[in-house]
Amino acid sequence: MPELPEVETVVAGLRPRLTGDRMRSVETLWHRSLCGDPREVTRRIRGRRIGKMFRRGKYICLDLEGPHLTIHLRMSGRLVFNPSPAEERHIRARLHFHESPCLALVDPRKFGRIRLWDSDETFLPGLGPDPLDAKTVADALAGLTSRRPIKTVLLDQKVLAGIGNIYADEALFSARIHPLTPAGDLDENQRARLSATVPLILKEAIRRRGTTLNDYRDPDNRDGGFQHQLKVYQCAGKPCSVCGTPISRIVVGQRGTHFCPRCQKK
DNA sequence: CCTTAGTCCTGCATGC
DNA sequence: TGCATGCAGGACTAAG
């Protein structure tokens, strides 16, 4: 599942190829993959230059010098220039450009979304800050008095943008915090550890081009490498890398949650 | 304010 | 082998 590091890797791959090119059209093969009518969206983007490409949270963003086009890959989405024959039947939308070959949204589970934002619209409203430095994370955690489990809070995109299930579990393990700890109950040391470790883990995952578990691959079909660094995610029953205790799996906020019951005491 | 459950979807794993 | 069932997951919405 693409989270912040995977989306960062995708954008880094696309940026040199698309920046400066112009939009031609958007085409849908599954109507829900695009918010709005494809002819109407095409009319609004046709001929527009891609000024900048960047990532915000888990969103891929194309700055069309005014309007923004965003792509969220959700569970199984991928952006590919040359879909393989096997991927052909999972193409849900295509972006067409003046110079570059068309870019396909391959998305078996149909959860990915493409959306156009007008220049006068608030772009990605309510999205929290990107947690790539300790101070940003510390500030986001500082004012929290919530009784919600810290795991749920880390997944709340309004608090911090870009953390998904994998990196939430890995960060809590690294900070030695039980995922069910009420966010407001974290002490100063725990908040400091979490604030330090979240950016470190995300940056290390970016360096390794993300985590490939099932279907994530970048636009050049390359695997990520962070799956070899996972300490708890999908490691239920395996010995903890620190203490040897078997990793537990529970459900928190309808999400599978993995932790070491010895290293991460309540 | 909060939490929980339901929705969207398909591929894959499991069990008989 | 084939069929039924269940599960995973991000973001959103509705209900309590």
Side-chain angles (χ1 to χ4, degrees):
Chain A
M1 308 126 267
E3 304 181 25
L4 186 153
E6 292 74 31
V7 178
E8 183 71 31
T9 305
V10 169
V11 170
L14 295 175
R15 184 184 289 121
R17 305 168 77 160
L18 295 182
T19 306
D21 204 348
R22 285 174 192 278
M23 300 298 306
R24 193 182 289 282
S25 62
V26 55
E27 168 200 5
T28 54
L29 290 83
W30 171 249
H31 67 110
R32 299 196 60 178
S33 296
L34 174 74
C35 300
D37 173 49
R39 284 164 304 182
E40 166 71 6
V41 174
T42 293
R43 188 182 63 71
R44 286 156 60 195
I45 63 173
R46 170 157 287 158
R48 283 201 173 268
R49 184 172 172 276
I50 301 162
K52 278 188 181 134
M53 273 202 75
F54 57 98
R55 176 200 55 71
R56 265 288 282 136
K58 302 175 196 170
Y59 291 84
I60 298 157
C61 306
L62 283 75
D63 179 354
L64 304 180
E65 301 185 325
H68 285 87
L69 193 72
T70 58
I71 303 160
H72 198 306
L73 300 172
R74 289 278 187 86
M75 315 297 304
S76 62
R78 299 182 48 213
L79 290 175
V80 285
F81 285 109
N82 289 105
S84 69
E87 289 168 330
E88 212 51 48
R89 73 191 195 92
H90 292 135
I91 299 177
R92 308 305 181 193
R94 290 194 191 93
L95 296 176
H96 298 274
F97 308 95
H98 278 215
E99 306 291 335
S100 310
C102 82
L103 187 62
L105 173 65
V106 174
D107 185 18
R109 277 172 244 187
K110 298 181 171 175
F111 281 2
R113 293 288 180 270
I114 302 172
R115 178 166 176 175
L116 181 67
W117 306 76
D118 262 327
S119 343
D120 58 1
E121 256 179 308
T122 308
F123 168 54
L124 298 174
L127 193 64
D130 279 24
L132 285 176
D133 65 87
K135 184 173 186 313
T136 301
V137 182
D139 288 349
L141 298 177
L144 284 178
T145 53
S146 170
R147 305 303 299 161
R148 296 158 83 198
I150 184 61
K151 158 91 184 221
T152 304
V153 170
L154 287 179
L155 293 178
D156 185 342
Q157 304 296 299
K158 296 188 286 299
V159 177
L160 290 166
I163 303 172
N165 214 26
I166 298 173
Y167 299 105
D169 282 2
E170 293 300 315
L172 288 172
F173 173 77
S174 175
R176 306 191 302 279
I177 297 169
H178 193 289
L180 285 173
T181 310
D185 284 0
L186 293 180
D187 66 32
E188 212 171 304
N189 286 332
Q190 290 175 314
R191 284 202 306 266
R193 290 204 300 270
L194 195 54
S195 304
T197 204
V198 165
L200 283 180
I201 286 179
L202 293 175
K203 287 186 207 168
E204 175 63 9
I206 291 170
R207 206 178 66 75
R208 292 181 184 269
R209 312 180 52 81
T211 302
T212 298
L213 283 176
N214 300 311
D215 22 32
Y216 168 74
R217 278 190 183 75
D218 77 7
D220 296 311
N221 218 35
R222 280 190 284 184
D223 280 9
F226 197 75
Q227 60 276 16
H228 307 298
Q229 312 297 120
L230 297 178
K231 302 280 177 58
V232 287
Y233 188 76
Q234 289 198 350
C235 295
K238 292 183 192 163
C240 167
S241 59
V242 173
C243 73
T245 305
I247 298 301
S248 298
R249 185 187 184 278
I250 58 174
V251 175
V252 181
Q254 276 96 268
R255 301 275 172 271
T257 297
H258 315 76
F259 69 103
C260 171
R262 181 156 172 205
C263 298
Q264 296 167 265
K265 289 247 196 277
K266 267 214 210 175

